[in-house]
Amino acid sequence: MRKTILLLVLTLCTLSIQAQDKVKLSYYLPQNLTYNTNIPTPASIIGHEVGEWHITHDKLIMYMKALAKASDRIVIEERGKTYEGRPLLLLKITSPKNHNNLENIRIKHIEATNNATLDVTNSPIVVYQGFSIHGNEASGSNAALAAAYYFAAAEGNEIERVLNNTIILFDPSLNPDGLQRFAYWANTNKSKNINPDPNDREYTEVWPRGRTNHYWFDMNRDWLPVQLPESQSRIQTFHKWLPNVLTDHHEMGSNSTFFFQPGIQSRTHPLTPKMNQELTKEIATYHAKAFDKIGSIYYSEESFDDFYYGKGSTFPDINGSIGILFEQGSSRGHAQETNNGILTFPFTIRNQFTAALSTIEAANSMRVKILKFQQKFYKNSRDAFEKNALVFGDEKDAAKTYHLAEVLKRHNIKIHELKSDFTSGSKKFKKGYSYVIPMNQKNSRLVKAMFDVRKEFKDSLFYDVSAWTFNHAFGVDFAENVPQSKMGKKVEKLEFKRGSLDVKSKVGYLMSWNEYYAPKALNAILTKGLRAKVALKNFKNNGMAYDYGTIFIPAQNQSLNAKELYEFLARVSEESHLQISGVSTGLNQGIDLGSNNFAAIKKQKVAMLVGDGIYGNDAGEIWHLFDQRFDMHITKLDMNYFNRIDISKYSTLIVPNSYSMSKSTTNKLKNWVREGGTLIGYRNSINWFINNDLLKAKLKKVKRDSINNVTFENRRNSSGAQVIGGAIFKASLDRSHPINFGYKNDELALFRNTTVFMQPDKRSYNNPIQYTNNPLLSGYISKSNLAQLKSSVPFKVQRLGRGKVIGFTDNTNFRGFWYGTNKLLMNAIFFSKMM
C-alpha cells in the first residue's frame, strides 16, 4: 500500500512538472483583461512558450524588436555592446501620447530635481526595471518576455491610465553574456521528462557558471565603480533619466521563497535618507498584496541590506531614487526538488512577473509622493552645500588620476582642472595631474558616498563590503576642505595626458615606472624583442630625478636601427600615455646607465590557473587587467587538464584565490618553480602554499571576539561579525624593494577581505610591505582581527630552487577598480628575479 501511494505521488509530481513545462502565456498574465491580438506573443516569435525553455539572449532581443515594431507603446534604444558583442537594449515603454513628447517629459523630470518649486502632481513617474544582472538567475529575463508583452498588449482604461502616468525604462537583460552562457547550459542538459533531482547535471553548472559577465565579473557590484561596458551604458541611462524607482530582479537558493525589500534596515548606509526606507516599506505592501493574490509565499526585512552603493538596489538610494531588490528561490534549471516542494521554472517566472507589475502599481499609486521625495532629496542636498572642494591626484601618474576622474564624469559629477600647483600637508598636487571636485553641486551626496570614510557602525554584519573609498582604491593623494579658489576651468571633455618621446638618442631612453600604463609599455618593448633594464636605485640624469624601477632602453645592440627604435618608442609612449626621454649621456648622479644596478628584464610568458577550485571573480579580474588594460597575453590553464600539459615554457604562473590543490598539482608546481619559474598566489592559496612547503611563513592564529551573552537566535550573527567582508587598511612600504617599484609614497592603501594574517620576517628588509600599528583606514573589522592585522605582512617572497614563490594575502585587483595596487602584480611578474 505504501509503495502504491509513493508511486502515485511521484506520478502526480511528474505530471505536474510536465504540465508546468507546457504552461501557456495566460499562466502569467492577469485574467481580467483583454489583449491586443495584433501584438505578437513570445511563442509566435521565439518558437516556445515562456518558461518552456530558458530564453537565449538572441531570442530575447528578437522578441523585443518584434514588440517594438508592432506596438506604439514601445521604442527600443541600443546603448552599446557587451565584451562579446551582444547589444545592450533599453525599451522605453509608455503611452503613445507620452512617446510623442518623451524628450520634453524627460527634460521636465530633470528640471524638477533642480527646482523644488516646480509642480509635479501631473508629471509621469519614471521606473527603471532591470532583469537578471546575474546571468544564471534567469527567471528575471524570462519574466521580461511576459512583462513586455503585457505592457504592449494589455487593453483597457487601467493600463492606459498607468502608461499615461509612467515612463518605464525596461532593461530585459542586464547581463547578456552571462544569460546566454547559462541558457546554453540549462537547455542542453534538459530532458524531455524533466528530472527534478537536484543531483542532475542540469542543476550544477560548469565553471565559471553564468552568474558573471565575459571576464567573470559580478556586475551587481559595478554600479558605483562603473568599470564594465554593460555598467557604463546602464549608468548613462540612469543619470540621463534619474528614475524614481529602480528594480533589480535576482534569484537565491532553491530552498528559499521570494524576497522583497526593505531588508534589514539597521544595515542601511547612514547617507541614505530615512524616508527612502519608509517609502520602500510602503511599496512592499503592494508586493505583499500581489503575492497574496496568487498564493505565493514571501518574506521581507530579514536579510539583505542597503549599505554598499555599488549594488543595483542600493545605488539609486544615494541618487534620490528608490532601489528595490527582488530575490526568487531558483529552480536553476527547469524544475527542482526543494524543501518547499518541486520548484518549477514557470513558477519562478510568474513570481518575477508579479513583482514587476506590483512595482508599477505601487509607483502609480504613490506617484506624487515619490516624485516629491526626489525633489526634496535634491533640495536638501542643495541646502547642505559646502563651498569648499576636494582635490585628488598623483604628481607622477596622470593615467591613474585620469581613470578616477573618468568614473566621476560617468556619474555626472562636475570636476575642474587644478589652477596651479599647490601643497596640502605633505601632499603635492600638480596641475595636469590633479582634479578638483566642488562640493556645491547637484551630486554632492554621491561624491560624499564615493569618498566616504567610516569606522563605526550600528551593525557588524554586511552583505557586501563595508568600505570602498575611491581615493584609496585608486591610490591617489587626496585633500578635503580645499578652497574653491584652487579650481581652474571646468572639465567638459576628459582627455588622457598625451604620451610622447622627446628626442632621438645614441645612448638610450628612460621611462619612469610611476605611470599606470608603464607595464603595458614595457611589455610592448620586450615583445618587440628589444633589450630593457630596470634601475634598482634612484639616480639623476641631466638634472632630472629618476626613481626606483625606471626602465632603461639602450640604443645600441638592439634589433631595430636608431630610426626604427625611435619611431617604435614614440608609438609606445603615445599608446601608453606616458613620457619616454632620450638621454645624451650615460653619466648620472648616482648609478650610471652602465651600472650593474640596472638589471636586465626578460619577456614574461604568464599563465593562470582557472577552473574548479579557483575563485572565478579573482581570476577574471586578473584576466581583465592583462587583456583590457595592459594588452598582455595571459594563458588560462584549466584545472581539468593542468596535470596533462607541459608548463615549462611559462615564466610566471598565477594562482588566484583558492583553498587546495591535488598532490599531483602541488608536486608539478614545485618542480616547475625549482627549475626557475615564479609562482604567485593570492589570498587563501597562501594556506595551501604553506601547508605544502611552497612558502615558509607563519600565520597568526585567527581569534574571535568574546561571544558571551549571545543567544541561540543570534549565534550566526556573532560568527558573521568575525568576517572581514571588505575593508581598507594602511601599509608601510620599503620603496627600494622591487615589489614596490613605481610607488612614490611610503604608505599604501590595501583592500582586504580575508583573515589570513602572515607574521613578519625577523629581517626587516624581507617585509617590504607591512601593515602599520594603526592600519584601519575605512570599514569594519572586529577588535580581535584588528589586533592580529597590526604589523602583519600582506606580501612574502621566497626562493625555491632556482625559482621564486610570491604570496599576497590581499586582492590587488579587486573588482577592476582598485587601480592603486594593480602595479604590485606587475612588479611581481617583471621583477621577481631581482627580489
Side-chain angles (χ1 to χ4, degrees):
M1 185 65 180
R2 278 184 178 180
K3 288 182 179 180
T4 303
I5 293 173
L6 179 59
L7 182 60
L8 178 61
V9 169
L10 290 173
T11 302
L12 289 172
C13 285
T14 302
L15 290 173
S16 173
I17 295 169
Q18 299 309 314
Q20 289 280 27
D21 182 40
K22 293 180 174 61
V23 294
K24 300 298 181 184
L25 186 59
S26 58
Y27 172 68
Y28 308 104
L29 300 175
Q31 297 303 298
N32 56 343
L33 297 175
T34 58
Y35 294 88
N36 186 343
T37 56
N38 292 320
I39 300 300
T41 63
S44 69
I45 301 297
I46 64 175
H48 62 80
E49 295 290 350
V50 174
E52 184 180 355
W53 295 89
H54 278 257
I55 190 67
T56 56
H57 186 261
D58 55 328
K59 286 188 175 182
L60 180 67
I61 296 305
M62 187 191 310
Y63 181 64
M64 296 304 163
K65 288 183 175 180
L67 272 186
K69 186 176 181 180
S71 172
D72 57 2
R73 296 174 179 177
I74 297 176
V75 171
I76 278 188
E77 175 188 348
E78 184 172 327
R79 300 172 293 171
K81 293 187 182 297
T82 69
Y83 281 121
E84 295 178 12
R86 294 189 174 86
L88 297 165
L89 294 193
L90 180 74
L91 280 66
K92 297 168 189 172
I93 305 174
T94 189
S95 67
K97 181 183 77 171
N98 286 343
H99 270 302
N100 291 331
N101 193 36
L102 196 59
E103 181 58 12
N104 286 333
I105 290 173
R106 186 192 70 80
I107 291 170
K108 185 178 178 182
H109 178 73
I110 297 300
E111 285 177 352
T113 65
N114 298 324
N115 184 351
T117 66
L118 288 181
D119 183 13
V120 296
T121 53
N122 295 316
S123 298
I125 192 167
V126 181
V127 179
Y128 192 117
Q129 295 192 299
F131 300 89
S132 300
I133 199 166
H134 295 146
N136 61 0
E137 298 175 5
S139 58
S141 285
N142 283 267
L145 291 165
Y149 171 79
Y150 168 82
F151 291 132
E155 296 178 322
N157 293 334
E158 179 60 19
I159 187 65
E160 290 179 5
R161 181 189 68 80
V162 165
L163 292 179
N164 275 328
N165 289 326
T166 314
I167 310 296
I168 303 172
L169 304 175
F170 194 86
D171 196 333
S173 173
L174 292 162
N175 181 2
D177 295 346
L179 181 73
Q180 187 78 8
R181 194 184 315 139
F182 178 69
Y184 165 80
W185 178 264
N187 290 337
T188 56
N189 285 284
K190 178 189 176 185
S191 300
K192 182 187 76 171
N193 298 294
I194 294 176
N195 183 356
D197 186 345
N199 294 323
D200 189 85
R201 190 170 189 260
E202 179 180 354
Y203 309 110
T204 305
E205 299 168 77
V206 292
W207 196 97
R209 293 170 282 280
R211 177 183 177 91
T212 55
N213 79 337
H214 175 76
Y215 285 100
W216 312 333
F217 276 72
D218 185 336
M219 292 202 302
N220 198 39
R221 304 299 184 266
D222 194 45
W223 291 73
L224 200 59
V226 208
Q227 295 300 302
L228 307 170
E230 300 92 338
S231 307
Q232 291 160 20
S233 295
R234 183 182 347 111
I235 293 302
Q236 186 177 29
T237 299
F238 182 94
H239 288 299
K240 182 178 179 179
W241 276 94
L242 292 181
N244 301 98
V245 178
L246 185 148
T247 58
D248 191 17
H249 290 252
H250 287 255
E251 291 181 355
M252 53 184 166
S254 299
N255 289 320
S256 300
T257 57
F258 193 92
F259 168 86
F260 47 78
Q261 283 185 308
I264 301 175
Q265 295 179 65
S266 64
R267 300 178 195 167
T268 302
H269 197 286
L271 290 175
T272 299
K274 185 178 179 183
M275 179 56 71
N276 171 285
Q277 293 294 292
E278 292 176 1
L279 290 171
T280 304
K281 194 167 185 177
E282 185 175 347
I283 290 171
T285 64
Y286 289 83
H287 304 320
K289 178 183 174 183
F291 276 73
D292 289 341
K293 187 174 181 179
I294 64 172
S296 283
I297 56 176
Y298 52 85
Y299 71 101
S300 181
E301 299 189 59
E302 293 177 45
S303 59
F304 303 102
D305 64 44
D306 274 342
F307 190 82
Y308 172 49
Y309 286 123
K311 296 186 299 169
S313 57
T314 312
F315 174 77
D317 299 343
I318 197 61
N319 287 283
S321 306
I322 299 168
I324 298 175
L325 170 69
F326 296 124
E327 293 273 358
Q328 165 64 50
S330 179
S331 64
R332 276 295 185 268
H334 291 86
Q336 191 173 163
E337 295 167 356
T338 74
N339 291 343
N340 297 307
I342 293 178
L343 179 64
T344 67
F345 187 41
F347 178 81
T348 68
I349 294 171
R350 185 175 69 157
N351 280 349
Q352 297 278 23
F353 173 86
T354 300
L357 265 58
S358 62
T359 298
I360 299 302
E361 181 186 357
N364 270 260
S365 299
M366 300 168 61
R367 178 177 59 84
V368 176
K369 184 187 295 188
I370 294 173
L371 286 167
K372 287 184 175 180
F373 162 73
Q374 187 180 56
Q375 274 190 307
K376 187 175 181 181
F377 175 93
Y378 284 106
K379 180 181 184 299
N380 290 344
S381 294
R382 291 191 295 273
D383 292 344
F385 274 171
E386 301 169 11
K387 294 183 178 180
N388 54 23
L390 311 177
V391 179
F392 66 90
D394 186 321
E395 61 176 314
K396 294 186 177 182
D397 190 348
K400 191 171 58 178
T401 306
Y402 166 90
H403 283 299
L404 176 50
E406 184 180 47
V407 174
L408 297 170
K409 290 289 286 181
R410 285 171 180 159
H411 284 301
N412 279 9
I413 292 170
K414 296 176 183 177
I415 59 173
H416 289 248
E417 295 178 357
L418 187 64
K419 183 185 290 185
S420 59
D421 298 358
F422 84 99
T423 301
S424 176
S426 61
K427 300 167 185 173
K428 183 179 179 181
F429 296 94
K430 185 178 177 181
K431 184 177 180 179
Y433 291 75
S434 303
Y435 293 96
V436 185
I437 312 171
M439 290 305 291
N440 56 339
Q441 64 171 293
K442 181 174 184 175
N443 286 333
S444 57
R445 284 199 191 189
L446 180 57
V447 173
K448 288 180 180 179
M450 293 178 73
F451 294 93
D452 185 53
V453 173
R454 201 163 297 273
K455 299 180 183 179
E456 295 182 2
F457 303 87
K458 286 184 178 180
D459 203 312
S460 57
L461 297 178
F462 301 88
Y463 183 73
D464 200 73
V465 298
S466 62
W468 53 86
T469 316
F470 272 67
N471 53 294
H472 293 320
F474 281 77
V476 294
D477 291 331
F478 179 74
E480 300 178 279
N481 301 316
V482 173
Q484 292 193 7
S485 60
K486 301 292 183 184
M487 293 193 311
K489 66 179 182 180
K490 183 182 174 184
V491 177
E492 299 292 348
K493 183 180 179 183
L494 191 65
E495 294 182 350
F496 261 120
K497 191 172 182 66
R498 287 195 64 182
S500 65
L501 172 58
D502 51 11
V503 296
K504 189 186 294 186
S505 171
K506 293 181 180 180
V507 177
Y509 300 89
L510 293 173
M511 180 181 76
S512 168
W513 193 247
N514 296 103
E515 279 285 356
Y516 182 78
Y517 286 105
K520 176 180 178 179
L522 178 59
N523 181 67
I525 289 166
L526 296 174
T527 300
K528 192 69 173 178
L530 298 173
R531 294 190 303 114
K533 296 185 175 186
V534 59
L536 304 181
K537 293 188 177 183
N538 294 333
F539 65 96
K540 284 186 178 180
N541 180 282
N542 207 20
M544 182 170 291
Y546 290 92
D547 210 344
Y548 302 105
T550 297
I551 304 301
F552 173 49
I553 305 102
Q556 304 301 317
N557 296 327
Q558 296 284 18
S559 58
L560 302 179
N561 63 36
K563 181 176 180 292
E564 291 170 337
L565 178 63
Y566 175 79
E567 291 174 349
F568 173 74
L569 292 179
R571 287 197 304 273
V572 167
S573 66
E574 193 172 327
E575 292 168 359
S576 300
H577 315 290
L578 46 73
Q579 179 72 32
I580 298 178
S581 299
V583 296
S584 59
T585 178
L587 186 64
N588 296 332
Q589 288 178 262
I591 58 171
D592 295 325
L593 296 184
S595 168
N596 286 334
N597 280 303
F598 278 91
I601 313 167
K602 292 183 178 180
K603 176 173 168 35
Q604 300 298 300
K605 192 167 183 62
V606 185
M608 173 176 64
L609 296 186
V610 299
D612 289 339
I614 303 292
Y615 275 57
N617 293 153
D618 295 54
E621 290 156 4
I622 295 170
W623 178 23
H624 179 268
L625 180 71
F626 274 70
D627 198 34
Q628 288 292 327
R629 300 267 173 82
F630 296 142
D631 289 333
M632 293 172 62
H633 286 151
I634 184 168
T635 301
K636 303 181 293 295
L637 305 176
D638 198 287
M639 296 304 300
N640 284 334
Y641 59 75
F642 177 74
N643 286 324
R644 301 195 301 271
I645 62 172
D646 179 10
I647 61 172
S648 61
K649 64 181 177 180
Y650 303 109
S651 59
T652 306
L653 202 152
I654 302 171
V655 184
N657 186 31
S658 58
Y659 283 94
S660 64
M661 300 282 170
S662 67
K663 188 174 181 180
S664 58
T665 298
T666 302
N667 290 335
K668 183 170 186 170
L669 287 172
K670 271 186 184 179
N671 293 332
W672 173 80
V673 173
R674 288 190 179 110
E675 292 300 313
T678 296
L679 182 66
I680 302 172
Y682 273 101
R683 300 174 66 202
N684 291 296
S685 62
I686 287 178
N687 287 305
W688 167 59
F689 281 15
I690 292 172
N691 292 336
N692 289 277
D693 298 322
L694 281 159
L695 188 68
K696 293 181 180 178
K698 291 183 179 180
L699 299 181
K700 295 184 177 184
K701 187 176 180 181
V702 178
K703 296 181 179 179
R704 293 171 59 113
D705 287 352
S706 173
I707 54 173
N708 293 330
N709 301 316
V710 174
T711 64
F712 181 81
E713 178 185 19
N714 293 319
R715 67 196 185 284
R716 291 181 180 174
N717 291 352
S718 175
S719 176
Q722 311 306 312
V723 173
I724 303 177
I728 308 169
F729 302 94
K730 180 170 61 179
S732 59
L733 302 182
D734 172 2
R735 293 194 301 112
S736 71
H737 195 286
I739 196 62
N740 295 321
F741 283 178
Y743 288 99
K744 71 178 185 64
N745 294 334
D746 294 327
E747 292 180 334
L748 182 65
L750 294 168
F751 177 85
R752 162 175 281 257
N753 56 0
T754 71
T755 52
V756 179
F757 306 118
M758 280 198 297
Q759 293 185 12
D761 194 272
K762 292 179 181 178
R763 300 175 181 87
S764 60
Y765 55 79
N766 285 334
N767 305 314
I769 311 175
Q770 186 168 15
Y771 283 115
T772 66
N773 283 322
N774 187 23
L776 181 61
L777 289 171
S778 187
Y780 172 79
I781 183 172
S782 68
K783 291 180 181 179
S784 57
N785 282 336
L786 182 59
Q788 297 295 80
L789 183 68
K790 291 178 180 180
S791 299
S792 68
V793 293
F795 164 83
K796 193 170 283 290
V797 56
Q798 288 176 356
R799 181 178 295 279
L800 181 62
R802 301 207 317 264
K804 296 287 178 66
V805 178
I806 293 173
F808 290 104
T809 62
D810 306 328
N811 185 350
T812 62
N813 317 293
F814 184 65
R815 290 181 180 168
F817 80 104
W818 219 264
Y819 281 73
T821 50
N822 286 160
K823 193 160 284 179
L824 293 176
L825 175 57
M826 293 296 111
N827 289 347
I829 289 167
F830 285 113
F831 308 140
S832 64
K833 300 306 180 186
M834 298 89 176
M835 295 179 189

